[in-house]
Amino acid sequence: MTTFRDNPISPELDAPLYQQLYTHMRMSILSGELKGGRKLPSTRALADELNISRNTILNAYRQLMAEGYLESVEGSGTFVAHVLPDFLLTAPRHTAPKNAQPLWAESRLPLFSEHAKSQMAASQPPSDGKPPRPFLSEVPALDAFPYEIWSRLVVRQARRMPVSTFMYQDSAGYRPLREAIAAHVAVSRQVHCKPEQIMIVPGSQGALDLASRMMLNAGDPVWMEDPGYPGARGAFLGAGADIIPVPIDDEGLVVDIGVARAPGARLVYLTPSHQFPLGVMMSISRRLALLDWAKRANAYILEDDYDSEFRFAERPLASLQGLDDAERVIYIGTFSKVLFPSMRIGYMILPPPLVDSFLKVRRLIDIHTPMLEQAVLADFMIEGHFSRHLRRMRTLYAERRNALLEAAKELPLEIHSPEAGIHCVGWLPNGMNDLSVVGKAAEYDLDLTPVSSFSIHPLARKGLLLGYGGYSVKEIKDGVRRLRALLRSV
Ligand SMILES: Cc1ncc(COP(=O)(O)O)c(C=O)c1O
């Protein structure tokens, strides 16, 4: 018996194969097509049936298991869970008509927009809220955050905020915070702007979402770093954009290939200071070539400067925004790495002609970012705590980076010493399968992410993202020991 009426996997689609399978199976479970208690075929049998690799099936099964849709019974196999996670039980159930169409086309499911469906397929699983394990990459040093100072500032602001701040506020954000950010980026990132160009947003993700809505029509081509940040790709899918993958080499985004693939692109997304995930810094000649093309093509550049405050090398490189003389760059900064991600505060620095229009649309989304957090952050910056914290973090991250590089000498990985940020990439020896390694990580109390999960086109090499920022030197050394055992076992 076949498991699906039609093969739900298509290499033509943008989403990785495992994600397509995950989404299809999840929807099939929710719709009742795959009923609770049904035994699923073995990963090998399903791989044969769908003509894809077993690892792809394994990854989709693992994700569904982690989210409670599937259960594994030792010695018996994998089953659709009898009891679905609570929050799913409130989702409307539908009974499948006989000989129904493939899942996405069926009216028995909620009628989501095509854009939302493509975003759902690209969406990453949520954080499980548990303390992070090495070497999850997105974690800053939460163990070194000055909680005492922060909570003192929260209490002080909560006590003294005037009643007027309880009204709706300016969509651009709290003025003193914008002034503090303008002063900070001028010094640390050579970004030139007035506070009027700054809009406080709910993290980089808020900036990416707003920029996509503002700049993209359905079908518009957008250059996207490949491999690249899934949050950006997801935002562009929300606008129905045509995502054009542009490869990265050791000088960063290969501008010529972007121009050859989509000379009329509307938007370019990139992380030039510390490419995510590979860590490459874009060369100055590439930066100038990109700015020159954008000027001629009347395109905009989204510069995501998510973690470049932490540079270890001497050489500071001006931001693209600082080099731009034609108002082409929308600069995005975030406090997720420099402070903590649940703060949900980031900022966009807009070319002056865009400001009013962005504000008008922002007023129809979330209106503005909550005031208390903005006011506390402004105090934190104005009173010097932020720059002190950054200085301490630079030293701490350099220590943690060095600990990882030293300990990892015993691993069969190739690691290029990262010049910035809080993660690096460990390239696996040829022939070693990244997904097999990642699949066993939990057994070794590790949290590993394959570089391939960020790529649209398959990469020539397989690698792992190794975050070091969020772990003590001891945790890093112990983690490397466990990683060595894991790599030996595959
Ligand atoms: C490339 C990149 N941009 C931005 C972010 C941060 O996003 P946000 O500010 O929405 O938390 C991350 C987090 O991992 C990232 O990797």
Side-chain angles (χ1 to χ4, degrees), residues 315-343:
R315 192 164 44 119
L317 252 201
S319 61
L320 274 170
Q321 199 272 2
L323 295 171
D324 173 25
D325 60 2
E327 302 186 322
R328 295 287 103 201
V329 176
I330 298 172
Y331 178 94
I332 300 176
T334 178
F335 290 94
S336 289
K337 305 272 184 192
V338 281
L339 296 177
F340 55 92
S342 71
M343 179 184 289

PDB file of all heavy atoms in Angstrom, residues 315-343:
ATOM      1  N   ARG A 315      40.867  44.805  11.525  1.00  0.00           N
ATOM      2  CA  ARG A 315      40.397  45.511  10.350  1.00  0.00           C
ATOM      3  C   ARG A 315      38.887  45.793  10.397  1.00  0.00           C
ATOM      4  O   ARG A 315      38.082  44.901  10.197  1.00  0.00           O
ATOM      5  CB  ARG A 315      40.711  44.616   9.145  1.00  0.00           C
ATOM      6  CG  ARG A 315      40.577  45.215   7.805  1.00  0.00           C
ATOM      7  CD  ARG A 315      41.284  44.328   6.810  1.00  0.00           C
ATOM      8  NE  ARG A 315      40.986  42.920   7.027  1.00  0.00           N
ATOM      9  CZ  ARG A 315      40.401  42.135   6.136  1.00  0.00           C
ATOM     10  NH1 ARG A 315      40.049  42.618   4.971  1.00  0.00           N
ATOM     11  NH2 ARG A 315      40.166  40.865   6.392  1.00  0.00           N
ATOM     12  N   PRO A 316      38.491  47.042  10.643  1.00  0.00           N
ATOM     13  CA  PRO A 316      37.051  47.297  10.588  1.00  0.00           C
ATOM     14  C   PRO A 316      36.644  47.584   9.144  1.00  0.00           C
ATOM     15  O   PRO A 316      37.360  48.270   8.431  1.00  0.00           O
ATOM     16  CB  PRO A 316      36.898  48.551  11.453  1.00  0.00           C
ATOM     17  CG  PRO A 316      38.233  49.222  11.422  1.00  0.00           C
ATOM     18  CD  PRO A 316      39.270  48.249  10.938  1.00  0.00           C
ATOM     19  N   LEU A 317      35.553  47.016   8.690  1.00  0.00           N
ATOM     20  CA  LEU A 317      35.101  47.305   7.318  1.00  0.00           C
ATOM     21  C   LEU A 317      33.840  48.144   7.392  1.00  0.00           C
ATOM     22  O   LEU A 317      32.926  47.816   8.142  1.00  0.00           O
ATOM     23  CB  LEU A 317      34.794  46.004   6.599  1.00  0.00           C
ATOM     24  CG  LEU A 317      35.760  45.563   5.516  1.00  0.00           C
ATOM     25  CD1 LEU A 317      35.097  44.589   4.571  1.00  0.00           C
ATOM     26  CD2 LEU A 317      36.329  46.736   4.723  1.00  0.00           C
ATOM     27  N   ALA A 318      33.829  49.214   6.616  1.00  0.00           N
ATOM     28  CA  ALA A 318      32.659  50.089   6.638  1.00  0.00           C
ATOM     29  C   ALA A 318      31.434  49.286   6.211  1.00  0.00           C
ATOM     30  O   ALA A 318      31.523  48.397   5.371  1.00  0.00           O
ATOM     31  CB  ALA A 318      32.870  51.234   5.677  1.00  0.00           C
ATOM     32  N   SER A 319      30.297  49.631   6.801  1.00  0.00           N
ATOM     33  CA  SER A 319      29.049  48.998   6.371  1.00  0.00           C
ATOM     34  C   SER A 319      28.773  49.417   4.929  1.00  0.00           C
ATOM     35  O   SER A 319      29.294  50.431   4.447  1.00  0.00           O
ATOM     36  CB  SER A 319      27.915  49.467   7.264  1.00  0.00           C
ATOM     37  OG  SER A 319      27.803  50.873   7.142  1.00  0.00           O
ATOM     38  N   LEU A 320      27.921  48.642   4.255  1.00  0.00           N
ATOM     39  CA  LEU A 320      27.493  49.044   2.905  1.00  0.00           C
ATOM     40  C   LEU A 320      26.788  50.397   2.978  1.00  0.00           C
ATOM     41  O   LEU A 320      26.954  51.246   2.106  1.00  0.00           O
ATOM     42  CB  LEU A 320      26.515  48.017   2.351  1.00  0.00           C
ATOM     43  CG  LEU A 320      27.089  46.796   1.651  1.00  0.00           C
ATOM     44  CD1 LEU A 320      25.993  45.795   1.398  1.00  0.00           C
ATOM     45  CD2 LEU A 320      27.739  47.208   0.331  1.00  0.00           C
ATOM     46  N   GLN A 321      26.001  50.571   4.048  1.00  0.00           N
ATOM     47  CA  GLN A 321      25.259  51.818   4.193  1.00  0.00           C
ATOM     48  C   GLN A 321      26.217  53.006   4.197  1.00  0.00           C
ATOM     49  O   GLN A 321      25.940  54.039   3.600  1.00  0.00           O
ATOM     50  CB  GLN A 321      24.446  51.767   5.498  1.00  0.00           C
ATOM     51  CG  GLN A 321      23.297  52.758   5.590  1.00  0.00           C
ATOM     52  CD  GLN A 321      23.710  54.116   6.160  1.00  0.00           C
ATOM     53  OE1 GLN A 321      24.880  54.361   6.466  1.00  0.00           O
ATOM     54  NE2 GLN A 321      22.754  55.008   6.280  1.00  0.00           N
ATOM     55  N   GLY A 322      27.369  52.824   4.854  1.00  0.00           N
ATOM     56  CA  GLY A 322      28.341  53.912   4.949  1.00  0.00           C
ATOM     57  C   GLY A 322      29.010  54.219   3.615  1.00  0.00           C
ATOM     58  O   GLY A 322      29.569  55.298   3.434  1.00  0.00           O
ATOM     59  N   LEU A 323      28.969  53.258   2.699  1.00  0.00           N
ATOM     60  CA  LEU A 323      29.613  53.468   1.388  1.00  0.00           C
ATOM     61  C   LEU A 323      28.622  53.955   0.336  1.00  0.00           C
ATOM     62  O   LEU A 323      29.007  54.300  -0.781  1.00  0.00           O
ATOM     63  CB  LEU A 323      30.202  52.134   0.887  1.00  0.00           C
ATOM     64  CG  LEU A 323      31.349  51.516   1.676  1.00  0.00           C
ATOM     65  CD1 LEU A 323      31.622  50.108   1.159  1.00  0.00           C
ATOM     66  CD2 LEU A 323      32.590  52.383   1.538  1.00  0.00           C
ATOM     67  N   ASP A 324      27.354  53.935   0.701  1.00  0.00           N
ATOM     68  CA  ASP A 324      26.288  54.173  -0.281  1.00  0.00           C
ATOM     69  C   ASP A 324      26.091  55.675  -0.508  1.00  0.00           C
ATOM     70  O   ASP A 324      25.775  56.400   0.419  1.00  0.00           O
ATOM     71  CB  ASP A 324      25.006  53.531   0.292  1.00  0.00           C
ATOM     72  CG  ASP A 324      23.766  53.832  -0.526  1.00  0.00           C
ATOM     73  OD1 ASP A 324      23.889  54.108  -1.730  1.00  0.00           O
ATOM     74  OD2 ASP A 324      22.654  53.769   0.061  1.00  0.00           O
ATOM     75  N   ASP A 325      26.275  56.110  -1.764  1.00  0.00           N
ATOM     76  CA  ASP A 325      26.051  57.538  -2.032  1.00  0.00           C
ATOM     77  C   ASP A 325      24.792  57.741  -2.873  1.00  0.00           C
ATOM     78  O   ASP A 325      24.579  58.800  -3.444  1.00  0.00           O
ATOM     79  CB  ASP A 325      27.277  58.150  -2.732  1.00  0.00           C
ATOM     80  CG  ASP A 325      27.552  57.461  -4.066  1.00  0.00           C
ATOM     81  OD1 ASP A 325      26.768  56.559  -4.433  1.00  0.00           O
ATOM     82  OD2 ASP A 325      28.545  57.821  -4.733  1.00  0.00           O
ATOM     83  N   ALA A 326      23.973  56.691  -2.984  1.00  0.00           N
ATOM     84  CA  ALA A 326      22.808  56.823  -3.869  1.00  0.00           C
ATOM     85  C   ALA A 326      21.512  56.393  -3.185  1.00  0.00           C
ATOM     86  O   ALA A 326      20.530  56.091  -3.854  1.00  0.00           O
ATOM     87  CB  ALA A 326      23.037  56.001  -5.133  1.00  0.00           C
ATOM     88  N   GLU A 327      21.538  56.339  -1.859  1.00  0.00           N
ATOM     89  CA  GLU A 327      20.331  56.013  -1.081  1.00  0.00           C
ATOM     90  C   GLU A 327      19.718  54.691  -1.515  1.00  0.00           C
ATOM     91  O   GLU A 327      18.522  54.585  -1.776  1.00  0.00           O
ATOM     92  CB  GLU A 327      19.310  57.153  -1.191  1.00  0.00           C
ATOM     93  CG  GLU A 327      19.905  58.462  -0.712  1.00  0.00           C
ATOM     94  CD  GLU A 327      18.915  59.607  -0.667  1.00  0.00           C
ATOM     95  OE1 GLU A 327      18.060  59.691  -1.562  1.00  0.00           O
ATOM     96  OE2 GLU A 327      19.012  60.434   0.267  1.00  0.00           O
ATOM     97  N   ARG A 328      20.570  53.685  -1.608  1.00  0.00           N
ATOM     98  CA  ARG A 328      20.131  52.363  -2.068  1.00  0.00           C
ATOM     99  C   ARG A 328      20.036  51.357  -0.937  1.00  0.00           C
ATOM    100  O   ARG A 328      19.485  50.288  -1.113  1.00  0.00           O
ATOM    101  CB  ARG A 328      21.153  51.799  -3.102  1.00  0.00           C
ATOM    102  CG  ARG A 328      21.266  52.563  -4.374  1.00  0.00           C
ATOM    103  CD  ARG A 328      20.047  52.332  -5.235  1.00  0.00           C
ATOM    104  NE  ARG A 328      19.145  53.433  -5.190  1.00  0.00           N
ATOM    105  CZ  ARG A 328      17.843  53.356  -5.502  1.00  0.00           C
ATOM    106  NH1 ARG A 328      17.296  52.232  -5.854  1.00  0.00           N
ATOM    107  NH2 ARG A 328      17.082  54.403  -5.452  1.00  0.00           N
ATOM    108  N   VAL A 329      20.653  51.674   0.231  1.00  0.00           N
ATOM    109  CA  VAL A 329      20.804  50.642   1.263  1.00  0.00           C
ATOM    110  C   VAL A 329      19.812  50.849   2.403  1.00  0.00           C
ATOM    111  O   VAL A 329      19.699  51.938   2.963  1.00  0.00           O
ATOM    112  CB  VAL A 329      22.243  50.648   1.838  1.00  0.00           C
ATOM    113  CG1 VAL A 329      22.370  49.643   2.986  1.00  0.00           C
ATOM    114  CG2 VAL A 329      23.251  50.321   0.750  1.00  0.00           C
ATOM    115  N   ILE A 330      19.109  49.768   2.722  1.00  0.00           N
ATOM    116  CA  ILE A 330      18.289  49.729   3.936  1.00  0.00           C
ATOM    117  C   ILE A 330      19.083  48.881   4.928  1.00  0.00           C
ATOM    118  O   ILE A 330      19.328  47.691   4.686  1.00  0.00           O
ATOM    119  CB  ILE A 330      16.916  49.079   3.653  1.00  0.00           C
ATOM    120  CG1 ILE A 330      16.146  49.903   2.621  1.00  0.00           C
ATOM    121  CG2 ILE A 330      16.121  48.913   4.952  1.00  0.00           C
ATOM    122  CD1 ILE A 330      14.863  49.252   2.114  1.00  0.00           C
ATOM    123  N   TYR A 331      19.514  49.520   5.996  1.00  0.00           N
ATOM    124  CA  TYR A 331      20.380  48.834   6.968  1.00  0.00           C
ATOM    125  C   TYR A 331      19.515  48.254   8.088  1.00  0.00           C
ATOM    126  O   TYR A 331      18.598  48.921   8.578  1.00  0.00           O
ATOM    127  CB  TYR A 331      21.357  49.861   7.535  1.00  0.00           C
ATOM    128  CG  TYR A 331      22.301  49.335   8.585  1.00  0.00           C
ATOM    129  CD1 TYR A 331      23.568  48.883   8.239  1.00  0.00           C
ATOM    130  CD2 TYR A 331      21.925  49.311   9.929  1.00  0.00           C
ATOM    131  CE1 TYR A 331      24.445  48.415   9.219  1.00  0.00           C
ATOM    132  CE2 TYR A 331      22.793  48.845  10.905  1.00  0.00           C
ATOM    133  CZ  TYR A 331      24.046  48.398  10.538  1.00  0.00           C
ATOM    134  OH  TYR A 331      24.907  47.936  11.500  1.00  0.00           O
ATOM    135  N   ILE A 332      19.800  47.008   8.457  1.00  0.00           N
ATOM    136  CA  ILE A 332      19.021  46.355   9.524  1.00  0.00           C
ATOM    137  C   ILE A 332      19.958  45.955  10.660  1.00  0.00           C
ATOM    138  O   ILE A 332      20.969  45.291  10.435  1.00  0.00           O
ATOM    139  CB  ILE A 332      18.327  45.077   8.991  1.00  0.00           C
ATOM    140  CG1 ILE A 332      17.370  45.423   7.842  1.00  0.00           C
ATOM    141  CG2 ILE A 332      17.582  44.363  10.110  1.00  0.00           C
ATOM    142  CD1 ILE A 332      16.726  44.215   7.196  1.00  0.00           C
ATOM    143  N   GLY A 333      19.624  46.386  11.856  1.00  0.00           N
ATOM    144  CA  GLY A 333      20.395  45.982  13.043  1.00  0.00           C
ATOM    145  C   GLY A 333      19.455  45.335  14.052  1.00  0.00           C
ATOM    146  O   GLY A 333      18.231  45.509  13.986  1.00  0.00           O
ATOM    147  N   THR A 334      20.000  44.576  14.969  1.00  0.00           N
ATOM    148  CA  THR A 334      19.166  43.893  15.967  1.00  0.00           C
ATOM    149  C   THR A 334      19.891  43.843  17.303  1.00  0.00           C
ATOM    150  O   THR A 334      21.132  43.863  17.344  1.00  0.00           O
ATOM    151  CB  THR A 334      18.841  42.456  15.500  1.00  0.00           C
ATOM    152  OG1 THR A 334      18.076  41.804  16.511  1.00  0.00           O
ATOM    153  CG2 THR A 334      20.089  41.626  15.218  1.00  0.00           C
ATOM    154  N   PHE A 335      19.110  43.757  18.382  1.00  0.00           N
ATOM    155  CA  PHE A 335      19.706  43.561  19.709  1.00  0.00           C
ATOM    156  C   PHE A 335      19.678  42.094  20.126  1.00  0.00           C
ATOM    157  O   PHE A 335      20.008  41.762  21.256  1.00  0.00           O
ATOM    158  CB  PHE A 335      18.994  44.447  20.745  1.00  0.00           C
ATOM    159  CG  PHE A 335      19.293  45.905  20.533  1.00  0.00           C
ATOM    160  CD1 PHE A 335      18.440  46.705  19.772  1.00  0.00           C
ATOM    161  CD2 PHE A 335      20.454  46.472  21.032  1.00  0.00           C
ATOM    162  CE1 PHE A 335      18.737  48.046  19.537  1.00  0.00           C
ATOM    163  CE2 PHE A 335      20.757  47.807  20.809  1.00  0.00           C
ATOM    164  CZ  PHE A 335      19.899  48.594  20.058  1.00  0.00           C
ATOM    165  N   SER A 336      19.253  41.212  19.191  1.00  0.00           N
ATOM    166  CA  SER A 336      19.120  39.793  19.537  1.00  0.00           C
ATOM    167  C   SER A 336      20.449  39.150  19.888  1.00  0.00           C
ATOM    168  O   SER A 336      20.505  38.258  20.719  1.00  0.00           O
ATOM    169  CB  SER A 336      18.494  39.026  18.371  1.00  0.00           C
ATOM    170  OG  SER A 336      17.143  39.365  18.241  1.00  0.00           O
ATOM    171  N   LYS A 337      21.525  39.570  19.227  1.00  0.00           N
ATOM    172  CA  LYS A 337      22.831  38.955  19.511  1.00  0.00           C
ATOM    173  C   LYS A 337      23.604  39.770  20.538  1.00  0.00           C
ATOM    174  O   LYS A 337      24.293  39.214  21.372  1.00  0.00           O
ATOM    175  CB  LYS A 337      23.688  38.872  18.238  1.00  0.00           C
ATOM    176  CG  LYS A 337      23.022  38.173  17.095  1.00  0.00           C
ATOM    177  CD  LYS A 337      23.257  36.696  17.124  1.00  0.00           C
ATOM    178  CE  LYS A 337      22.636  36.075  15.899  1.00  0.00           C
ATOM    179  NZ  LYS A 337      22.559  34.647  15.940  1.00  0.00           N
ATOM    180  N   VAL A 338      23.515  41.084  20.441  1.00  0.00           N
ATOM    181  CA  VAL A 338      24.304  41.895  21.372  1.00  0.00           C
ATOM    182  C   VAL A 338      23.709  41.895  22.770  1.00  0.00           C
ATOM    183  O   VAL A 338      24.436  42.084  23.745  1.00  0.00           O
ATOM    184  CB  VAL A 338      24.487  43.358  20.901  1.00  0.00           C
ATOM    185  CG1 VAL A 338      25.555  43.464  19.864  1.00  0.00           C
ATOM    186  CG2 VAL A 338      23.204  43.960  20.417  1.00  0.00           C
ATOM    187  N   LEU A 339      22.392  41.709  22.899  1.00  0.00           N
ATOM    188  CA  LEU A 339      21.792  41.623  24.235  1.00  0.00           C
ATOM    189  C   LEU A 339      21.097  40.260  24.363  1.00  0.00           C
ATOM    190  O   LEU A 339      21.732  39.299  24.713  1.00  0.00           O
ATOM    191  CB  LEU A 339      20.857  42.803  24.482  1.00  0.00           C
ATOM    192  CG  LEU A 339      21.588  44.163  24.492  1.00  0.00           C
ATOM    193  CD1 LEU A 339      20.616  45.312  24.679  1.00  0.00           C
ATOM    194  CD2 LEU A 339      22.669  44.226  25.576  1.00  0.00           C
ATOM    195  N   PHE A 340      19.814  40.166  24.011  1.00  0.00           N
ATOM    196  CA  PHE A 340      19.175  38.844  24.053  1.00  0.00           C
ATOM    197  C   PHE A 340      18.007  38.821  23.065  1.00  0.00           C
ATOM    198  O   PHE A 340      17.340  39.831  22.843  1.00  0.00           O
ATOM    199  CB  PHE A 340      18.724  38.478  25.473  1.00  0.00           C
ATOM    200  CG  PHE A 340      17.811  39.483  26.137  1.00  0.00           C
ATOM    201  CD1 PHE A 340      16.434  39.363  26.046  1.00  0.00           C
ATOM    202  CD2 PHE A 340      18.333  40.544  26.862  1.00  0.00           C
ATOM    203  CE1 PHE A 340      15.596  40.275  26.664  1.00  0.00           C
ATOM    204  CE2 PHE A 340      17.503  41.470  27.479  1.00  0.00           C
ATOM    205  CZ  PHE A 340      16.127  41.331  27.377  1.00  0.00           C
ATOM    206  N   PRO A 341      17.743  37.628  22.483  1.00  0.00           N
ATOM    207  CA  PRO A 341      16.787  37.585  21.374  1.00  0.00           C
ATOM    208  C   PRO A 341      15.334  37.819  21.761  1.00  0.00           C
ATOM    209  O   PRO A 341      14.563  38.349  20.959  1.00  0.00           O
ATOM    210  CB  PRO A 341      16.957  36.182  20.778  1.00  0.00           C
ATOM    211  CG  PRO A 341      17.761  35.404  21.751  1.00  0.00           C
ATOM    212  CD  PRO A 341      18.473  36.366  22.642  1.00  0.00           C
ATOM    213  N   SER A 342      14.944  37.477  23.007  1.00  0.00           N
ATOM    214  CA  SER A 342      13.524  37.654  23.329  1.00  0.00           C
ATOM    215  C   SER A 342      13.167  39.123  23.565  1.00  0.00           C
ATOM    216  O   SER A 342      12.003  39.450  23.740  1.00  0.00           O
ATOM    217  CB  SER A 342      13.135  36.823  24.553  1.00  0.00           C
ATOM    218  OG  SER A 342      13.700  37.382  25.710  1.00  0.00           O
ATOM    219  N   MET A 343      14.154  40.014  23.535  1.00  0.00           N
ATOM    220  CA  MET A 343      13.840  41.436  23.650  1.00  0.00           C
ATOM    221  C   MET A 343      12.970  41.889  22.466  1.00  0.00           C
ATOM    222  O   MET A 343      12.124  42.745  22.598  1.00  0.00           O
ATOM    223  CB  MET A 343      15.132  42.250  23.669  1.00  0.00           C
ATOM    224  CG  MET A 343      14.885  43.734  23.756  1.00  0.00           C
ATOM    225  SD  MET A 343      16.403  44.659  23.653  1.00  0.00           S
ATOM    226  CE  MET A 343      17.108  44.285  25.197  1.00  0.00           C
TER     227      MET A 343
END
